[in-house]
Amino acid sequence: MRRFVQPGEFYVFDRGYSDYRLFQDLHDHACSFVGRVQENVAYEVSRECPLTDADRAAGVIRDVELRRLGTPHHTRLLPQPFRLVWVSTGRRRADGTVEPLILGKRPAVRIIPTD
């Protein structure tokens, strides 16, 4: 995917990436993106983002800025914050929790639940 990245574009992807550096690479190419994070994601929250009524109506459950992101054994300090957002889409993990999405740069789309 990295070979095809174009500055200023918007990318949507699932969990088919091999490492979390992809997020930084997309940011460094001045791209915006949204994707699901892998189930073993490890992160450290730097700030809880307040939810508006419009956010809640769109199904947003939680929105945070991250300080660290990676796997449970490798979480590195981020040079800039990324946002992790939990959205009600009708899909849940085996433990019943909502699958979170990662947002980079300035997302240009609103996530609307389909359930």
Side-chain angles (χ1 to χ4, degrees):
M1 176 180 168
R2 286 175 171 94
R3 293 186 322 203
F4 302 106
V5 170
Q6 296 293 316
E9 294 294 325
F10 183 84
Y11 295 93
V12 177
F13 54 92
D14 205 353
R15 295 178 289 206
Y17 50 89
S18 59
D19 64 59
Y20 289 94
R21 286 186 300 250
L22 173 62
F23 303 143
Q24 188 63 48
D25 291 346
L26 290 170
H27 174 81
D28 293 345
H29 278 86
C31 298
S32 295
F33 60 89
V34 61
R36 284 195 306 162
V37 293
Q38 296 178 3
E39 290 200 26
N40 68 341
V41 66
Y43 58 90
E44 179 183 327
V45 173
S46 65
R47 180 176 82 89
E48 288 278 342
C49 301
L51 299 180
T52 65
D53 289 339
D55 294 333
R56 287 185 193 87
V60 176
I61 298 167
R62 186 179 182 200
D63 182 352
V64 300
E65 284 186 0
L66 303 178
R67 178 176 162 80
R68 294 184 185 276
L69 177 69
T71 64
H73 301 291
H74 300 96
T75 57
R76 62 182 186 82
L77 188 62
L78 296 166
Q80 74 289 310
F82 286 112
R83 290 173 58 200
L84 196 58
V85 179
W86 288 258
V87 179
S88 175
T89 61
R91 295 187 63 132
R92 296 199 175 262
R93 293 180 169 168
D95 66 1
T97 60
V98 173
E99 292 185 350
L101 302 168
I102 184 99
L103 302 175
K105 205 78 173 155
R106 292 169 207 87
V109 297
R110 288 195 63 82
I111 302 164
I112 306 298
T114 58
D115 51 332

